[in-house]
């Protein structure tokens, strides 16, 4: 890199790339080194195929992933387009011989980055890492049976992706509003080699699932037909406006009435359903007693 100690207080606008492995906590001590080798092999192969000299980039190891900063002289479109295609192809080749495929979440954001002797820092770096760690990306991989998901910041989408380009297909990106530590942000998600992500297929994350302080990073398997609204992603339109909840039970549904359409309910025990105080199935309250005891 061309940075030295004198640059520590100067911010440079650079592309920040955060790469995380899916379910990294489930890899044992003997497996994790091989997983890390695969990640670096995939990235290095993709850089070589895309004609990008990785030595020109800042690269920081994160244990279960990689953090990179790309200097401005390297076109962002090269990374968003050809490099992502090559990452996807290299990942597919690696996974062809694996019983448990490696999954990757990649996030990109452009912003001011400061370099010092210990690495990189700045709000742009924080945001890229938060986007890579967003629960929506984790659940997209599971719901779609995919091995790779890319998420870009709203500014990067509007400034670069929306214009398209070689191997950049803006119509295959879908926006979701994310609640991150720093506040509400819009992330644009893309599954390389697949159609535009469909967030309606995602199961909502309940409060019992792990968070940052629980030791589980929310990467566990998804329950089938989990239903519920929870804290699932909220779709937004092309301008980044919140379009409301994903399910059919939003405010519009309440205005139109729920009785005419199909209803879907999932419960772990007994379930009774009523609309407008009229029960539509047998109701069980309390515990069952035999007929002789009721007569007495």
């Amino acid at each position: 890199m061309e940075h030295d100690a004198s640059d520590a207080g100067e911010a440079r606008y650079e592309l920040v790339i955060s790469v995380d492995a899916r379910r990294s906590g489930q890899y044992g001590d003997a497996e994790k080194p091989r997983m890390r080798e695969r990640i670096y092999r995939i990235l290095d192969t993709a850089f070589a195929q895309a004609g990008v000299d990785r030595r020109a980039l800042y690269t920081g190891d994160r244990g279960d992933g990689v953090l990179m900063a790309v200097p401005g002289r390297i076109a962002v479109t090269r990374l968003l387009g050809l490099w992502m295609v090559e990452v996807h192809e290299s990942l597919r080749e690696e996974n062809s011989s694996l019983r448990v495929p490696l999954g990757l979440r990649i996030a990109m954001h452009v912003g001011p980055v400061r370099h010092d002797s210990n690495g990189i820092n700045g709000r742009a770096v924080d945001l890229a890492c938060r986007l890579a760690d967003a629960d929506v990306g984790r659940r997209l991989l599971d719901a779609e049976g995919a091995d790779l998901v890319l998420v870009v910041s709203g500014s990067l989408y509007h400034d670069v992706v929306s214009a398209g380009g070689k191997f950049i297909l803006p119509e295959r990106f879908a926006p979701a509003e994310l609640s991150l530590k720093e506040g509400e942000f819009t992330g644009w998600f893309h599954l390389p080699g697949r159609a535009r992500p469909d967030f309606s297929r995602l199961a909502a994350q309940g409060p019992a699932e792990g968070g940052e302080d629980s030791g589980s990073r929310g990467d566990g398997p998804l329950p089938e037909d989990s239903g519920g609204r929870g804290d699932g992603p909220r779709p937004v339109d092309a301008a980044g406006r919140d379009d409301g909840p994903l399910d059919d039970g939003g405010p519009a549904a309440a205005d139109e009435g729920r009785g005419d359409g199909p209803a879907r309910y999932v419960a772990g025990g007994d379930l009774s359903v009523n609309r407008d105080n009229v029960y539509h199935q047998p109701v069980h309250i309390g515990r069952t007693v035999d007929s002789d005891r009721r007569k007495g």
Side-chain angles (χ1 to χ4, degrees), residues 123-134:
R123 192 166 181 266
V125 177
D126 295 340
L127 180 56
C129 293
R130 297 274 191 260
L131 290 173
D133 199 44

Side-chain angles (χ1 to χ4, degrees), residues 93-190:
E93 184 174 350
E94 286 285 338
N95 284 339
S96 63
S97 60
L98 298 179
R99 182 178 61 84
V100 179
L102 173 65
L104 295 178
R105 302 185 308 275
I106 298 180
M108 295 187 185
H109 174 57
V110 172
V113 177
R114 287 180 168 81
H115 293 251
D116 58 31
S117 58
N118 295 310
I120 59 175
N121 64 88
R123 192 166 181 266
V125 177
D126 295 340
L127 180 56
C129 293
R130 297 274 191 260
L131 290 173
D133 199 44
D135 180 65
V136 178
R138 300 172 185 276
R139 288 184 284 153
L140 266 178
L141 290 183
D142 284 326
E144 299 291 346
D147 296 332
L148 177 63
V149 61
L150 167 68
V151 54
V152 303
S153 63
S155 59
L156 182 55
Y157 176 85
H158 290 292
D159 292 345
V160 182
V161 176
S162 63
K166 190 172 183 179
F167 303 115
I168 301 176
L169 303 173
E171 66 274 11
R172 293 192 180 181
F173 285 73
E177 189 172 302
L178 309 174
S179 296
L180 307 180
K181 280 187 175 182
E182 293 81 2
E184 298 289 326
F185 289 89
T186 299
W188 289 78
F189 292 82
H190 172 55

